[in-house]
Amino acid sequence: MKPYYIKLILLAAVILTACKKAPENKNVLFILVDDFGYNDMSFRYNTFYETPNIDQLAKESTVFNEGYANSRVCSPSRASIMTGKFTARHGITDWIGAPVKEEWRKKERFNKLLPSEYIENLPAENITLAEALKQNGYNTFFAGKWHLGEEGSCPENHGFDINIAGIGAGSPKGGYFSPFNNPKLEDHIKGENLSMRLADETVRFIKNNKEKPFFAFLSFYAVHGPIQTTQNKWHKYREKAKNNGIEKSGYTMGHFLPVRQVQDNPIYGGLVENMDDAVGHILNAIKEMGLDKNTLIVFTSDNGGVVSGDNFSTSNLPLRGGKGYQFEGGIKEPYFIKAPWIENTVKETNTPVTGADLYPTILDLVDASLLHQQHIDGLSLKPILKGETLPERPLIWHYPHYGNQGGEPSSIIRKGKWKLIYYYEDERNELYNLEQDEGETTDISTKHDVLTNAMKKELFTYLTNVGAKYPLKDPNYNYDLEQTYLNRIATEKLKNLEIERLKILEPDFKPNDDWWGSKTKEN
């Protein structure tokens, strides 16, 4: 064969390969699970939960082992995903609806500080991720939990063409089985599962918009409380807990509240699997439609698994704490990115990243122009997917509140392997080497005072520059009242939680006659 023809064949092969690498329509599916802990997946440390669909997605993705939410609670993290900014900069520092200043006293927790004010809806001046993609020709869709403002600040006000079930509430008002009691989600079948319904709506949108590039944001209400599942799945996970060996004690006392130490809640196990079933439904639909090669998939959570407060649902061990806490269990998350057109994608990485990075990453991966003045705290992670590195940078969290789960008002800076926590109650610092101590068991701040002071300075330089707000001392603080409250929690509350934990593991457990409505339609 003549060299001329060989060159033509090679050129054609290059063109075909390039087309395979870079599809014309690059779609985006973003899956956000609520309160889903770092170790709530079966491919990680636990032997209790079963998440085969999420596990398979992880195998097909780049797994970020050091992936973080931008807050220990939901609304701030969600705002960071939408804006590409850390919480202190965009101003939503607590879940929207949380009491502030003197209103906090109504909780009767008798704390030293009064939580600061925060912005209570997603500021309209931001160009959200949805708006940025819409400007690039994308059809945009949102389904599920929003919790970034009431009417006037809902998904349809921030760049989403379609909004299914996205309202101001942070939990499913009607629970996980129809009727849903959601003004933006019609009831179809009594007893229908909420997670599967949201997946169905997402699949319907994709089928109707597959000829154009689409951005589908599936934001599960699961696995937030109230935790509910079917009788069949409860029975399955009760048997698993029994076979694993039921611990006599499931809790230890934290600073303000008991902290769950074991994964043996059969209701929560069933709720997790219900959500995983829904993930499998949409992933299978994408493959059946032939869209798996040109659909970018992002999977993450908005904060850690719930170990205290709410339903005390899970354990994040070996990570310390959970939702609401300043420790790794409160902010470290499942975090996967699947970009099918990136060849030889890195399978896992230990580079620390946050939800704020997803905005520029998505734009970069679909070849849209970056908006550096908008996603000012986020960086594109595309180089990491290709096996390259990012420069070391400070990651910052700001939570000048107490919250419902037992965490303390504090701010955090992570840089490389080092993590500094600054506490507002007593102005103390804690320093951890996360490479050697992922469970944050040993504070080494006094052994590294120069590093501690330097990181604290860098933290507060950032907070000052963005105009961060801080908690204030409560002039009505009473030490004796707080100690009385804490003693009651450490005795009565702890005892009742242990009783409740064992109760739902009893063979005759029955929450009500229709199992939250799920008996009308088993899922």
Side-chain angles (χ1 to χ4, degrees):
M1 186 179 290
K2 294 182 179 181
Y4 172 76
Y5 293 108
I6 294 174
K7 286 183 178 180
L8 283 178
I9 292 171
L10 290 174
L11 179 60
V14 169
I15 293 172
L16 288 172
T17 302
C19 290
K20 183 179 180 182
K21 287 181 184 177
E24 182 177 350
N25 283 349
K26 296 180 179 179
N27 306 310
V28 182
L29 169 64
F30 196 120
I31 302 175
L32 181 64
V33 187
D34 195 14
D35 292 356
F36 195 47
Y38 186 78
N39 296 322
D40 281 354
M41 302 164 290
S42 48
F43 84 92
R44 289 223 185 262
Y45 298 96
N46 76 79
T47 59
F48 188 59
Y49 309 128
E50 295 182 19
T51 55
N53 297 297
I54 295 170
D55 296 351
Q56 182 60 38
L57 177 60
K59 290 178 183 178
E60 299 170 357
S61 305
T62 297
V63 176
F64 290 79
N65 294 321
E66 301 295 315
Y68 289 95
N70 286 102
S71 179
R72 62 186 84 171
V73 295
C74 58
S75 299
S77 294
R78 293 164 184 272
S80 291
I81 290 170
M82 288 294 169
T83 66
K85 298 175 180 178
F86 292 161
T87 60
R89 189 186 299 274
H90 62 60
I92 302 175
T93 53
D94 205 355
W95 60 273
I96 293 174
V100 299
K101 301 177 75 172
E102 288 80 6
E103 286 293 308
W104 178 252
R105 293 187 187 133
K106 294 179 181 179
K107 291 279 189 178
E108 294 188 341
R109 285 179 44 179
F110 313 106
N111 300 123
K112 294 179 181 179
L113 303 177
L114 296 174
S116 75
E117 295 179 314
Y118 58 88
I119 293 176
E120 298 190 13
N121 55 67
L122 189 61
E125 60 266 25
N126 287 285
I127 301 173
T128 66
L129 174 59
E131 289 169 331
L133 288 170
K134 192 176 171 85
Q135 291 171 5
N136 281 272
Y138 279 74
N139 290 342
T140 58
F141 168 89
F142 184 92
K145 175 172 172 174
W146 177 245
H147 207 184
L148 287 173
E150 301 286 347
E151 287 299 319
S153 186
C154 284
E156 59 269 33
N157 307 116
H158 293 284
F160 289 99
D161 299 320
I162 299 173
N163 170 27
I164 303 293
I167 57 177
S171 61
K173 289 185 175 182
Y176 286 99
F177 299 93
S178 178
F180 300 122
N181 192 23
N182 186 313
K184 297 190 179 182
L185 181 64
E186 292 182 4
D187 293 298
H188 290 168
I189 305 170
K190 186 176 181 181
E192 183 181 23
N193 179 267
L194 176 59
S195 296
M196 190 60 73
R197 171 64 181 282
L198 295 176
D200 278 338
E201 295 287 353
T202 305
V203 169
R204 184 176 297 109
F205 165 78
I206 292 173
K207 284 183 178 178
N208 293 335
N209 291 272
K210 62 183 180 180
E211 302 304 324
K212 286 187 63 178
F214 62 78
F215 173 44
F217 197 111
L218 173 55
S219 178
F220 287 110
Y221 279 94
V223 290
H224 192 287
I227 59 171
Q228 299 172 350
T229 191
T230 64
Q231 187 174 12
N232 286 345
K233 280 190 164 58
W234 164 83
H235 178 74
K236 171 182 176 177
Y237 284 96
R238 180 197 172 269
E239 289 301 305
K240 289 195 72 172
K242 179 182 174 181
N243 293 335
N244 288 345
I246 298 173
E247 300 286 343
K248 291 182 179 180
S249 175
Y251 294 89
T252 188
M253 189 61 199
H255 185 72
F256 290 122
L257 283 173
V259 178
R260 193 179 185 99
Q261 300 291 288
V262 293
Q263 292 181 337
D264 65 0
N265 187 324
I267 302 173
Y268 184 73
L271 177 60
V272 168
E273 188 177 337
N274 283 133
M275 179 272 296
D276 182 77
D277 290 341
V279 170
H281 175 58
I282 189 170
L283 296 182
N284 290 336
I286 286 175
K287 289 180 181 179
E288 290 171 2
M289 286 184 274
L291 299 174
D292 52 313
K293 302 301 182 185
N294 67 324
T295 300
L296 169 68
I297 301 176
V298 174
F299 181 94
T300 191
S301 176
D302 61 350
N303 48 250
V306 181
V307 301
S308 293
D310 299 346
N311 289 90
F312 295 82
S313 304
T314 191
S315 168
N316 298 308
L317 292 175
L319 302 183
R320 184 178 177 184
K323 177 182 179 180
Y325 282 84
Q326 61 274 15
F327 304 115
E328 292 292 276
I331 55 177
K332 202 170 186 181
E333 304 303 315
Y335 195 119
F336 319 145
I337 299 176
K338 178 183 176 181
W341 51 86
I342 302 292
E343 284 198 345
N344 303 316
T345 307
V346 171
K347 292 302 180 185
E348 63 178 335
T349 175
N350 293 323
T351 302
V353 299
T354 79
D357 296 322
L358 294 170
Y359 188 138
T361 300
I362 291 170
L363 293 184
D364 205 5
L365 287 171
V366 302
D367 301 323
S369 298
L370 299 185
L371 304 176
H372 296 286
Q373 295 305 308
Q374 173 58 50
H375 48 75
I376 192 167
D377 293 311
L379 289 179
S380 172
L381 306 180
K382 183 178 179 180
I384 294 179
L385 270 63
K386 297 169 65 178
E388 302 168 11
T389 59
L390 291 179
E392 186 177 272
R393 57 184 170 139
L395 304 179
I396 291 171
W397 294 261
H398 182 58
Y399 191 73
H401 315 282
Y402 285 100
N404 298 331
Q405 295 80 25
E408 300 169 66
S410 52
S411 294
I412 304 166
I413 179 170
R414 174 168 181 176
K415 201 167 185 181
K417 63 184 179 181
W418 302 103
K419 176 182 176 181
L420 177 85
I421 307 174
Y422 175 83
Y423 292 85
Y424 290 101
E425 276 198 347
D426 53 11
E427 301 181 352
R428 78 182 189 279
N429 301 297
E430 289 178 352
L431 181 70
Y432 299 100
N433 180 339
L434 295 179
E435 286 185 359
Q436 299 177 358
D437 183 18
E438 69 170 347
E440 297 166 286
T441 61
T442 307
D443 169 26
I444 54 176
S445 58
T446 57
K447 294 181 179 179
H448 300 275
D449 56 332
V450 174
L451 176 62
T452 296
N453 290 331
M455 291 185 70
K456 177 183 174 183
K457 181 178 180 181
E458 188 169 12
L459 169 64
F460 278 93
T461 296
Y462 174 88
L463 294 177
T464 300
N465 287 342
V466 300
K469 295 180 180 180
Y470 304 100
L472 299 174
K473 291 183 179 180
D474 186 350
N476 294 350
Y477 172 67
N478 184 302
Y479 174 83
D480 292 333
L481 287 176
E482 183 180 37
Q483 293 306 305
T484 299
Y485 165 81
L486 293 175
N487 289 335
R488 185 173 71 252
I489 294 295
T491 53
E492 296 176 20
K493 182 70 173 179
L494 186 58
K495 179 182 177 180
N496 290 336
L497 283 170
E498 294 286 11
I499 293 172
E500 179 66 21
R501 170 179 161 265
L502 296 177
K503 178 182 177 182
I504 64 174
L505 288 163
E506 291 292 330
D508 59 350
F509 171 73
K510 191 176 182 181
N512 54 38
D513 290 336
D514 65 355
W515 277 79
W516 304 294
S518 65
K519 289 188 73 172
T520 60
K521 186 178 185 298
E522 281 287 348
N523 296 94

